[in-house]
Amino acid sequence: MDRTVRIFIVEDEPRIARFLQIELDHEGFETAIEGNGTRAFERIMQEPYDLVLLDVMLPGMDGMTICKRVREITDIPIIMLTAKDDLEDKVAGLDLGADDYITKPFAMEELLARIRNALRKRTAVQCKAPIEECLRVKDLVMYPRRYEVEVGGESVHLTKKEYSLLEYLLRNKRTVLTRDQILQEVWGYDYSGDTNVVDVYIRYLRAKLDDHFHEKFIYTVRGVGYAIKE
Ligand code: CA
C-alpha cells in the first residue's frame, strides 16, 4: 500500500489500548484510540480508517453491536479482541461479519499477522473487478478494449483489418470459418471484392504471427476455410 494504513483501536482498557498503539505505530501504522463504544461507532462512520480492532466489552455500545451496525454500512476489516477464550464470542463475532478475532492476552506477532491478512484479503476483493476481457490462444493474447495484441508478452502491430480478422478468428476459436463467412463478418456484406482478399489477409497475419514467432496459430482446412486453435 502506498499510503499509511490507519488502524482504529477500540478498547476501553487504557493499558491495552496504549500497548497496541505503541506496537502498531512502531510497525508503521497510523493509529487512533477510542474507549467508548457509542463514540467508537460514530467515529468509524465519520473517519476514514482502514481497519478496526474491536474489543467486545465496552462502555456504551458493546463490540458485537458495533460490528453488526458497521457491517450494515461498510465492509471495513474488523478484528474482534475477545477478552476470554470464549467460543461463543468468537462465533458470534464472525457471524456478525467480523473478519477475524484474537483472544486476549495475545502475542503481538500473531495480531500483526492477522491484521496483514485482513488487509490483504480486502485489497484482493477490491481488485477483482473490473476484469479486462481478453481473448487467448497459446501465448497470443488480444485485449479488445485496448486494441492490443501480444504474443509471449511482445506486442504485435496490426492494421485495422488484420486486427478485425484476428478478432473474428479468436472469438470463434476452434471453429472452421469459410472464406464467405469471414468476408461477410470482417469486410461486411456489401464488400464487392472476391474471396481472395481473405487469403491475402490471412497471409499478412501469418507473416506477423506464425512466421515471426515461429508458432502455428492459423490453420488452413483445405476446401473449407481457416481456423485458429490451441
Ligand atoms: Ca473491554
Side-chain angles (χ1 to χ4, degrees), residues 10 43 47 55 99 102 121 128 211-212 217 222 227:
V10 182
R43 288 181 66 179
E47 298 168 19
D55 184 25
D99 291 73
I102 192 161
K121 269 198 310 201
K128 235 160 53 185
D211 299 350
H212 184 78
F217 293 106
R222 283 176 64 177

Side-chain angles (χ1 to χ4, degrees), residues 160-173 175-203 205-206 218-221 223-228:
K160 199 166 181 297
K161 205 49 95 181
E162 289 164 356
Y163 183 93
S164 304
L165 172 58
L166 180 60
E167 184 176 3
Y168 181 55
L169 291 170
L170 282 169
R171 288 195 187 279
N172 297 280
K173 199 162 69 171
T175 308
V176 180
L177 301 164
T178 67
R179 288 176 180 76
D180 282 335
Q181 280 177 314
I182 295 171
L183 198 60
Q184 284 183 7
E185 201 61 41
V186 179
W187 276 266
Y189 287 100
D190 57 349
Y191 184 76
S192 54
D194 64 77
T195 58
N196 280 339
V197 71
V198 174
D199 301 313
V200 171
Y201 274 82
I202 289 283
R203 272 210 301 280
L205 271 186
R206 277 184 170 147
I218 302 166
Y219 292 80
T220 305
V221 181
V224 186
Y226 299 101
I228 206 158

Side-chain angles (χ1 to χ4, degrees), residues 11-13 55-59 104:
E11 168 64 75
D12 62 321
E13 199 172 318
D55 184 25
V56 178
M57 301 292 285
L58 292 164
K104 290 189 272 186

Side-chain angles (χ1 to χ4, degrees), residues 48-67:
Y49 299 110
D50 297 300
L51 184 141
V52 181
L53 293 180
L54 185 57
D55 184 25
V56 178
M57 301 292 285
L58 292 164
M61 198 184 290
D62 69 271
M64 295 294 176
T65 308
I66 294 174
C67 183

